[in-house]
Amino acid sequence: MLMPENSNEIFKLLIEKGTVFLNQFDIPADHKKFFIVAGHSPDKIITCAVYINSNIHTALYKNQILLNLQVNIKGVKYSFLKHDSFVCCSTPLFITTDNIMKWINDNRCKYIGCIDSEDLENITDTLIDSGLLTDEEIELFFS
């Protein structure tokens, strides 16, 4: 999906909670990661996103609080997953829709699909209850 420069407003309309992208992030280098748009501002200028990881990093098993912020999603529910995976709600990402569109135009990012409402609700509740977001951020992204 290559987006012309003047289609920014149209692209913003397409960004919905639960949308999944595969992106080539800079760190670590050459590592593609799925991310989910968990929430967005009313004008859809900025999103609150979370990574999908194949496994829970072993260091997290030493910290129950961080471990509780890993949300399991079933691989059988999503054609883009090869196996059960974990949504990392311990590291919310604030990504502008302009950046997502730029990444798509640079062929670094692509739309993959959407997660279902049950998983989205679980992720949203986990983020809201995490203590990692301010009341203002919760209002901005999830109201």
PDB file of all heavy atoms in Angstrom, residues 118-141:
ATOM      1  N   GLU A 118     -11.942  -9.043  21.293  1.00  0.00           N
ATOM      2  CA  GLU A 118     -11.632  -9.636  22.599  1.00  0.00           C
ATOM      3  C   GLU A 118     -10.169  -9.399  22.971  1.00  0.00           C
ATOM      4  O   GLU A 118      -9.859  -8.970  24.088  1.00  0.00           O
ATOM      5  CB  GLU A 118     -11.940 -11.136  22.576  1.00  0.00           C
ATOM      6  CG  GLU A 118     -11.624 -11.843  23.871  1.00  0.00           C
ATOM      7  CD  GLU A 118     -11.879 -13.336  23.802  1.00  0.00           C
ATOM      8  OE1 GLU A 118     -12.194 -13.873  22.716  1.00  0.00           O
ATOM      9  OE2 GLU A 118     -11.744 -13.980  24.854  1.00  0.00           O
ATOM     10  N   ASP A 119      -9.249  -9.669  22.035  1.00  0.00           N
ATOM     11  CA  ASP A 119      -7.831  -9.440  22.309  1.00  0.00           C
ATOM     12  C   ASP A 119      -7.542  -7.952  22.467  1.00  0.00           C
ATOM     13  O   ASP A 119      -6.768  -7.557  23.333  1.00  0.00           O
ATOM     14  CB  ASP A 119      -6.955 -10.045  21.208  1.00  0.00           C
ATOM     15  CG  ASP A 119      -6.861 -11.565  21.313  1.00  0.00           C
ATOM     16  OD1 ASP A 119      -7.016 -12.115  22.425  1.00  0.00           O
ATOM     17  OD2 ASP A 119      -6.635 -12.206  20.273  1.00  0.00           O
ATOM     18  N   LEU A 120      -8.178  -7.115  21.649  1.00  0.00           N
ATOM     19  CA  LEU A 120      -7.975  -5.679  21.767  1.00  0.00           C
ATOM     20  C   LEU A 120      -8.431  -5.180  23.136  1.00  0.00           C
ATOM     21  O   LEU A 120      -7.742  -4.374  23.772  1.00  0.00           O
ATOM     22  CB  LEU A 120      -8.707  -4.927  20.648  1.00  0.00           C
ATOM     23  CG  LEU A 120      -8.570  -3.405  20.692  1.00  0.00           C
ATOM     24  CD1 LEU A 120      -7.115  -2.970  20.572  1.00  0.00           C
ATOM     25  CD2 LEU A 120      -9.417  -2.779  19.595  1.00  0.00           C
ATOM     26  N   GLU A 121      -9.556  -5.662  23.606  1.00  0.00           N
ATOM     27  CA  GLU A 121     -10.048  -5.255  24.926  1.00  0.00           C
ATOM     28  C   GLU A 121      -9.077  -5.681  26.025  1.00  0.00           C
ATOM     29  O   GLU A 121      -8.794  -4.907  26.949  1.00  0.00           O
ATOM     30  CB  GLU A 121     -11.434  -5.857  25.185  1.00  0.00           C
ATOM     31  CG  GLU A 121     -12.027  -5.437  26.508  1.00  0.00           C
ATOM     32  CD  GLU A 121     -13.433  -5.973  26.728  1.00  0.00           C
ATOM     33  OE1 GLU A 121     -14.052  -6.484  25.777  1.00  0.00           O
ATOM     34  OE2 GLU A 121     -13.904  -5.876  27.871  1.00  0.00           O
ATOM     35  N   ASN A 122      -8.540  -6.890  25.926  1.00  0.00           N
ATOM     36  CA  ASN A 122      -7.582  -7.383  26.909  1.00  0.00           C
ATOM     37  C   ASN A 122      -6.314  -6.515  26.909  1.00  0.00           C
ATOM     38  O   ASN A 122      -5.794  -6.147  27.961  1.00  0.00           O
ATOM     39  CB  ASN A 122      -7.251  -8.846  26.627  1.00  0.00           C
ATOM     40  CG  ASN A 122      -6.562  -9.527  27.779  1.00  0.00           C
ATOM     41  OD1 ASN A 122      -6.427  -8.989  28.870  1.00  0.00           O
ATOM     42  ND2 ASN A 122      -6.096 -10.742  27.536  1.00  0.00           N
ATOM     43  N   ILE A 123      -5.824  -6.173  25.720  1.00  0.00           N
ATOM     44  CA  ILE A 123      -4.632  -5.324  25.597  1.00  0.00           C
ATOM     45  C   ILE A 123      -4.920  -3.929  26.148  1.00  0.00           C
ATOM     46  O   ILE A 123      -4.120  -3.377  26.917  1.00  0.00           O
ATOM     47  CB  ILE A 123      -4.179  -5.261  24.122  1.00  0.00           C
ATOM     48  CG1 ILE A 123      -3.648  -6.627  23.688  1.00  0.00           C
ATOM     49  CG2 ILE A 123      -3.140  -4.160  23.907  1.00  0.00           C
ATOM     50  CD1 ILE A 123      -3.542  -6.801  22.185  1.00  0.00           C
ATOM     51  N   THR A 124      -6.058  -3.365  25.782  1.00  0.00           N
ATOM     52  CA  THR A 124      -6.441  -2.033  26.255  1.00  0.00           C
ATOM     53  C   THR A 124      -6.541  -2.005  27.776  1.00  0.00           C
ATOM     54  O   THR A 124      -5.992  -1.112  28.425  1.00  0.00           O
ATOM     55  CB  THR A 124      -7.782  -1.602  25.625  1.00  0.00           C
ATOM     56  OG1 THR A 124      -7.633  -1.591  24.197  1.00  0.00           O
ATOM     57  CG2 THR A 124      -8.202  -0.230  26.098  1.00  0.00           C
ATOM     58  N   ASP A 125      -7.220  -2.982  28.357  1.00  0.00           N
ATOM     59  CA  ASP A 125      -7.359  -3.047  29.814  1.00  0.00           C
ATOM     60  C   ASP A 125      -5.997  -3.175  30.488  1.00  0.00           C
ATOM     61  O   ASP A 125      -5.744  -2.536  31.514  1.00  0.00           O
ATOM     62  CB  ASP A 125      -8.254  -4.214  30.224  1.00  0.00           C
ATOM     63  CG  ASP A 125      -9.717  -4.009  29.861  1.00  0.00           C
ATOM     64  OD1 ASP A 125     -10.104  -2.876  29.513  1.00  0.00           O
ATOM     65  OD2 ASP A 125     -10.474  -5.009  29.898  1.00  0.00           O
ATOM     66  N   THR A 126      -5.122  -3.988  29.898  1.00  0.00           N
ATOM     67  CA  THR A 126      -3.785  -4.168  30.464  1.00  0.00           C
ATOM     68  C   THR A 126      -3.003  -2.860  30.427  1.00  0.00           C
ATOM     69  O   THR A 126      -2.350  -2.490  31.414  1.00  0.00           O
ATOM     70  CB  THR A 126      -3.024  -5.285  29.712  1.00  0.00           C
ATOM     71  OG1 THR A 126      -3.770  -6.505  29.824  1.00  0.00           O
ATOM     72  CG2 THR A 126      -1.627  -5.490  30.281  1.00  0.00           C
ATOM     73  N   LEU A 127      -3.062  -2.149  29.309  1.00  0.00           N
ATOM     74  CA  LEU A 127      -2.374  -0.857  29.215  1.00  0.00           C
ATOM     75  C   LEU A 127      -2.937   0.150  30.217  1.00  0.00           C
ATOM     76  O   LEU A 127      -2.177   0.841  30.911  1.00  0.00           O
ATOM     77  CB  LEU A 127      -2.488  -0.301  27.796  1.00  0.00           C
ATOM     78  CG  LEU A 127      -1.555  -0.894  26.764  1.00  0.00           C
ATOM     79  CD1 LEU A 127      -1.999  -0.510  25.358  1.00  0.00           C
ATOM     80  CD2 LEU A 127      -0.120  -0.468  27.018  1.00  0.00           C
ATOM     81  N   ILE A 128      -4.246   0.246  30.296  1.00  0.00           N
ATOM     82  CA  ILE A 128      -4.882   1.215  31.196  1.00  0.00           C
ATOM     83  C   ILE A 128      -4.542   0.916  32.651  1.00  0.00           C
ATOM     84  O   ILE A 128      -4.261   1.822  33.436  1.00  0.00           O
ATOM     85  CB  ILE A 128      -6.412   1.243  30.967  1.00  0.00           C
ATOM     86  CG1 ILE A 128      -6.711   1.896  29.607  1.00  0.00           C
ATOM     87  CG2 ILE A 128      -7.134   1.966  32.102  1.00  0.00           C
ATOM     88  CD1 ILE A 128      -8.157   1.782  29.168  1.00  0.00           C
ATOM     89  N   ASP A 129      -4.521  -0.365  33.011  1.00  0.00           N
ATOM     90  CA  ASP A 129      -4.249  -0.764  34.391  1.00  0.00           C
ATOM     91  C   ASP A 129      -2.761  -0.857  34.713  1.00  0.00           C
ATOM     92  O   ASP A 129      -2.390  -1.109  35.866  1.00  0.00           O
ATOM     93  CB  ASP A 129      -4.911  -2.114  34.686  1.00  0.00           C
ATOM     94  CG  ASP A 129      -6.427  -2.054  34.609  1.00  0.00           C
ATOM     95  OD1 ASP A 129      -6.987  -0.946  34.740  1.00  0.00           O
ATOM     96  OD2 ASP A 129      -7.060  -3.118  34.416  1.00  0.00           O
ATOM     97  N   SER A 130      -1.896  -0.643  33.724  1.00  0.00           N
ATOM     98  CA  SER A 130      -0.451  -0.855  33.902  1.00  0.00           C
ATOM     99  C   SER A 130       0.218   0.173  34.805  1.00  0.00           C
ATOM    100  O   SER A 130       1.272  -0.102  35.380  1.00  0.00           O
ATOM    101  CB  SER A 130       0.250  -0.823  32.542  1.00  0.00           C
ATOM    102  OG  SER A 130       0.262   0.496  32.003  1.00  0.00           O
ATOM    103  N   GLY A 131      -0.349   1.359  34.901  1.00  0.00           N
ATOM    104  CA  GLY A 131       0.307   2.427  35.639  1.00  0.00           C
ATOM    105  C   GLY A 131       1.377   3.134  34.822  1.00  0.00           C
ATOM    106  O   GLY A 131       2.044   4.046  35.317  1.00  0.00           O
ATOM    107  N   LEU A 132       1.547   2.730  33.570  1.00  0.00           N
ATOM    108  CA  LEU A 132       2.574   3.322  32.703  1.00  0.00           C
ATOM    109  C   LEU A 132       2.083   4.562  31.963  1.00  0.00           C
ATOM    110  O   LEU A 132       2.899   5.328  31.450  1.00  0.00           O
ATOM    111  CB  LEU A 132       3.060   2.282  31.691  1.00  0.00           C
ATOM    112  CG  LEU A 132       3.743   1.058  32.279  1.00  0.00           C
ATOM    113  CD1 LEU A 132       3.993   0.013  31.188  1.00  0.00           C
ATOM    114  CD2 LEU A 132       5.045   1.448  32.964  1.00  0.00           C
ATOM    115  N   LEU A 133       0.772   4.730  31.900  1.00  0.00           N
ATOM    116  CA  LEU A 133       0.196   5.861  31.183  1.00  0.00           C
ATOM    117  C   LEU A 133      -0.413   6.845  32.176  1.00  0.00           C
ATOM    118  O   LEU A 133      -0.984   6.441  33.188  1.00  0.00           O
ATOM    119  CB  LEU A 133      -0.893   5.383  30.213  1.00  0.00           C
ATOM    120  CG  LEU A 133      -0.480   4.364  29.156  1.00  0.00           C
ATOM    121  CD1 LEU A 133      -1.693   3.888  28.377  1.00  0.00           C
ATOM    122  CD2 LEU A 133       0.567   4.940  28.224  1.00  0.00           C
ATOM    123  N   THR A 134      -0.304   8.117  31.854  1.00  0.00           N
ATOM    124  CA  THR A 134      -0.941   9.135  32.690  1.00  0.00           C
ATOM    125  C   THR A 134      -2.451   9.104  32.436  1.00  0.00           C
ATOM    126  O   THR A 134      -2.915   8.542  31.430  1.00  0.00           O
ATOM    127  CB  THR A 134      -0.408  10.540  32.351  1.00  0.00           C
ATOM    128  OG1 THR A 134      -0.802  10.869  31.008  1.00  0.00           O
ATOM    129  CG2 THR A 134       1.107  10.612  32.511  1.00  0.00           C
ATOM    130  N   ASP A 135      -3.198   9.732  33.322  1.00  0.00           N
ATOM    131  CA  ASP A 135      -4.646   9.842  33.121  1.00  0.00           C
ATOM    132  C   ASP A 135      -4.946  10.565  31.804  1.00  0.00           C
ATOM    133  O   ASP A 135      -5.884  10.200  31.097  1.00  0.00           O
ATOM    134  CB  ASP A 135      -5.305  10.591  34.285  1.00  0.00           C
ATOM    135  CG  ASP A 135      -5.325   9.780  35.569  1.00  0.00           C
ATOM    136  OD1 ASP A 135      -5.148   8.538  35.507  1.00  0.00           O
ATOM    137  OD2 ASP A 135      -5.515  10.381  36.651  1.00  0.00           O
ATOM    138  N   GLU A 136      -4.131  11.558  31.474  1.00  0.00           N
ATOM    139  CA  GLU A 136      -4.319  12.305  30.231  1.00  0.00           C
ATOM    140  C   GLU A 136      -4.082  11.412  29.010  1.00  0.00           C
ATOM    141  O   GLU A 136      -4.807  11.511  28.013  1.00  0.00           O
ATOM    142  CB  GLU A 136      -3.386  13.522  30.181  1.00  0.00           C
ATOM    143  CG  GLU A 136      -3.710  14.604  31.187  1.00  0.00           C
ATOM    144  CD  GLU A 136      -3.194  14.308  32.606  1.00  0.00           C
ATOM    145  OE1 GLU A 136      -2.341  13.395  32.791  1.00  0.00           O
ATOM    146  OE2 GLU A 136      -3.668  14.980  33.546  1.00  0.00           O
ATOM    147  N   GLU A 137      -3.060  10.558  29.071  1.00  0.00           N
ATOM    148  CA  GLU A 137      -2.784   9.647  27.963  1.00  0.00           C
ATOM    149  C   GLU A 137      -3.900   8.615  27.796  1.00  0.00           C
ATOM    150  O   GLU A 137      -4.310   8.295  26.677  1.00  0.00           O
ATOM    151  CB  GLU A 137      -1.431   8.954  28.151  1.00  0.00           C
ATOM    152  CG  GLU A 137      -0.266   9.893  27.972  1.00  0.00           C
ATOM    153  CD  GLU A 137       1.063   9.306  28.438  1.00  0.00           C
ATOM    154  OE1 GLU A 137       1.079   8.441  29.350  1.00  0.00           O
ATOM    155  OE2 GLU A 137       2.103   9.729  27.881  1.00  0.00           O
ATOM    156  N   ILE A 138      -4.392   8.112  28.911  1.00  0.00           N
ATOM    157  CA  ILE A 138      -5.516   7.160  28.863  1.00  0.00           C
ATOM    158  C   ILE A 138      -6.726   7.815  28.212  1.00  0.00           C
ATOM    159  O   ILE A 138      -7.362   7.237  27.332  1.00  0.00           O
ATOM    160  CB  ILE A 138      -5.841   6.631  30.266  1.00  0.00           C
ATOM    161  CG1 ILE A 138      -4.695   5.744  30.780  1.00  0.00           C
ATOM    162  CG2 ILE A 138      -7.173   5.865  30.274  1.00  0.00           C
ATOM    163  CD1 ILE A 138      -4.785   5.393  32.250  1.00  0.00           C
ATOM    164  N   GLU A 139      -7.034   9.038  28.629  1.00  0.00           N
ATOM    165  CA  GLU A 139      -8.166   9.779  28.028  1.00  0.00           C
ATOM    166  C   GLU A 139      -7.942  10.023  26.551  1.00  0.00           C
ATOM    167  O   GLU A 139      -8.833   9.855  25.726  1.00  0.00           O
ATOM    168  CB  GLU A 139      -8.333  11.115  28.775  1.00  0.00           C
ATOM    169  CG  GLU A 139      -9.286  12.059  28.115  1.00  0.00           C
ATOM    170  CD  GLU A 139     -10.601  12.165  28.848  1.00  0.00           C
ATOM    171  OE1 GLU A 139     -10.701  11.664  29.981  1.00  0.00           O
ATOM    172  OE2 GLU A 139     -11.515  12.750  28.280  1.00  0.00           O
ATOM    173  N   LEU A 140      -6.721  10.417  26.184  1.00  0.00           N
ATOM    174  CA  LEU A 140      -6.385  10.729  24.803  1.00  0.00           C
ATOM    175  C   LEU A 140      -6.534   9.515  23.884  1.00  0.00           C
ATOM    176  O   LEU A 140      -7.135   9.593  22.816  1.00  0.00           O
ATOM    177  CB  LEU A 140      -4.952  11.258  24.713  1.00  0.00           C
ATOM    178  CG  LEU A 140      -4.419  11.573  23.315  1.00  0.00           C
ATOM    179  CD1 LEU A 140      -5.165  12.757  22.696  1.00  0.00           C
ATOM    180  CD2 LEU A 140      -2.914  11.862  23.381  1.00  0.00           C
ATOM    181  N   PHE A 141      -6.004   8.371  24.299  1.00  0.00           N
ATOM    182  CA  PHE A 141      -5.926   7.206  23.412  1.00  0.00           C
ATOM    183  C   PHE A 141      -7.111   6.246  23.507  1.00  0.00           C
ATOM    184  O   PHE A 141      -7.379   5.508  22.557  1.00  0.00           O
ATOM    185  CB  PHE A 141      -4.639   6.417  23.679  1.00  0.00           C
ATOM    186  CG  PHE A 141      -3.396   7.185  23.337  1.00  0.00           C
ATOM    187  CD1 PHE A 141      -2.447   7.452  24.313  1.00  0.00           C
ATOM    188  CD2 PHE A 141      -3.171   7.653  22.059  1.00  0.00           C
ATOM    189  CE1 PHE A 141      -1.290   8.159  24.006  1.00  0.00           C
ATOM    190  CE2 PHE A 141      -2.025   8.357  21.735  1.00  0.00           C
ATOM    191  CZ  PHE A 141      -1.082   8.614  22.711  1.00  0.00           C
TER     192      PHE A 141
END
